[in-house]
Amino acid sequence: MVILYEHPLSPYAQKVKISAREKNLDLDLRTPDGIGAGGAKGEFAAANPRAEVPALIDGDTRIFDSTIILEYLEDKFPSPAMRPATPEARAKMRMIEEVCDTHYEAINWGLGEIAYFRRATGDKAAEIQEHASEQTAKIQSWLTKQLGNGDWFADRAFGWGDLSVVPYVNASVGFGNGPDEGSPLGKWLARANERPSVARTAQEALDSVAGMQQVADILEQGLFKREYRDHRLEWMMKTGGPEIVLDGLKKNNIRFSYEFE
C-alpha cells in the first residue's frame, strides 16, 4: 500500500492521485495533522521537511514534490504510461506542467484567499477577481494552443500533460472562470472529467469545498496559517494585494513556505 499525504483541494496532490488511479494503484490517503498551522510532525514531516502536501511513502521510500512523485510513479509503475513517448512531447508536457504549477496555481490560490479566507472584500476583492479572470483567460488561451486539434495534450492518449492541467481548470470553473463548454478547452475538460480517475479526484475536491465555509474564522483565531510559496507571493503583490500580505504578517496568520521544519 502506497501512503499519500495530501489535501483534496491541493492541485499538486490531485495530479498525483490521478496518475496513481490511472495506474490502478491502491493509495492510503492521509491528511496530515498540523498542516498549515506550523505543527506538522511524525512521518509526514520526516517525508517532507517543507511540511507541504503531497508526500508519498512507499515502503522505505519517502518522496516530496508532486513532479518528483509523478516521475517515481512512472519509473516504478510504467504501465499505463502517463509520460509521452517522444522527446518533443515530453518537453511540451514539462512546459505545460510548469506553467500550471506556478502561474495558474497562483491565480486560483489568490481567488481562494478571497472566497474562503476573506482576505479582501468589497472593491478590493472585485479588483483582484477581475485581474484574476483576465489572467485566467490568457492562460486558457495558451493552453488551447498547446491542445491544438488533438483530444489530449500529448500524443493520442490521456497522460501527464492532461493530469497537470485538469485540477487547475476545474478550480477555475468553481471560481466562475471556466472555459466555454463549446470551446476546444471546454470539450477537453468534459472528456477529462469523464475519466474515473479525474471524476473521483474532482469529487473529493468538491466535497472538501463544503468544509471551507468556517476556515476564515479559524484563520482569524490564529489556528491556521496560509502558506505563501514564492509564486503566490509574487502574484498577490502584483495583483493589487500588498496590503493583504502585510495584514497577514501583522496578524501572524501567514507563513512562508520552503522553510524546513
Side-chain angles (χ1 to χ4, degrees):
M1 178 70 71
V2 177
I3 298 170
L4 182 68
Y5 281 96
E6 59 107 22
H7 189 283
L9 288 177
S10 165
Y12 304 109
Q14 289 179 43
K15 290 192 305 179
V16 173
K17 290 193 291 185
I18 293 169
S19 178
R21 286 165 174 167
E22 287 286 330
K23 296 175 181 294
N24 293 314
L25 297 180
D26 288 329
L27 292 175
D28 179 358
L29 299 178
R30 303 180 185 180
T31 299
D33 294 330
I35 185 173
K41 56 186 178 181
E43 68 174 5
F44 166 66
N48 187 351
R50 296 191 321 208
E52 298 170 350
V53 294
L56 180 140
I57 299 176
D58 182 15
D60 294 331
T61 301
R62 285 154 171 72
I63 309 170
F64 62 89
D65 186 273
S66 62
T67 301
I68 299 173
I69 294 173
L70 288 175
E71 291 171 345
Y72 173 78
L73 293 179
E74 200 68 9
D75 290 338
K76 185 166 184 180
F77 310 100
S79 181
M82 295 291 101
R83 188 163 43 207
T86 68
E88 294 81 5
R90 290 183 181 185
K92 177 182 176 181
M93 169 203 80
R94 293 185 182 103
M95 291 187 291
I96 289 171
E97 184 182 25
E98 174 64 17
V99 167
C100 288
D101 280 357
T102 55
H103 296 286
Y104 208 158
E105 195 274 346
I107 297 169
N108 286 337
W109 175 86
L111 289 172
E113 288 290 272
I114 296 171
Y116 305 137
F117 298 98
R118 298 198 295 267
R119 288 290 197 187
T121 58
D123 291 342
K124 174 55 66 175
E127 173 193 345
I128 293 175
Q129 288 168 332
E130 181 179 0
H131 288 315
S133 295
E134 294 170 354
Q135 294 167 12
T136 299
K138 291 180 180 178
I139 289 183
Q140 290 180 357
S141 176
W142 182 81
L143 287 171
T144 299
K145 293 177 182 177
Q146 306 312 305
L147 182 63
N149 296 322
D151 286 342
W152 306 110
F153 275 97
D155 295 343
R156 298 181 180 179
F158 179 90
W160 196 317
D162 304 285
L163 64 86
S164 295
V165 176
V166 72
Y168 300 103
V169 183
N170 272 333
S172 288
V173 172
F175 290 123
N177 294 327
D180 183 82
E181 291 182 359
S183 68
L185 192 63
K187 293 178 180 178
W188 164 85
L189 182 63
R191 284 192 297 273
N193 279 326
E194 288 176 353
R195 301 185 71 83
S197 64
V198 178
R200 182 178 175 185
T201 303
Q203 187 60 53
E204 290 167 349
L206 286 173
D207 292 343
S208 184
V209 167
M212 296 294 288
Q213 303 306 316
Q214 300 173 338
V215 74
D217 295 332
I218 296 173
L219 185 81
E220 198 66 28
Q221 296 171 37
L223 301 177
F224 184 84
K225 296 184 180 183
R226 293 296 282 143
E227 293 189 342
Y228 277 47
R229 295 188 177 203
D230 48 1
H231 61 277
R232 294 172 178 171
L233 178 61
E234 178 186 6
W235 185 89
M236 188 62 78
M237 297 299 286
K238 292 195 305 185
T239 313
E243 62 268 40
I244 294 174
V245 177
L246 295 175
D247 184 61
L249 285 170
K250 183 167 61 177
K251 293 179 178 178
N252 193 32
N253 59 20
I254 70 170
R255 64 193 294 264
F256 291 101
S257 191
Y258 297 127
E259 294 183 2
F260 274 32
E261 295 292 321

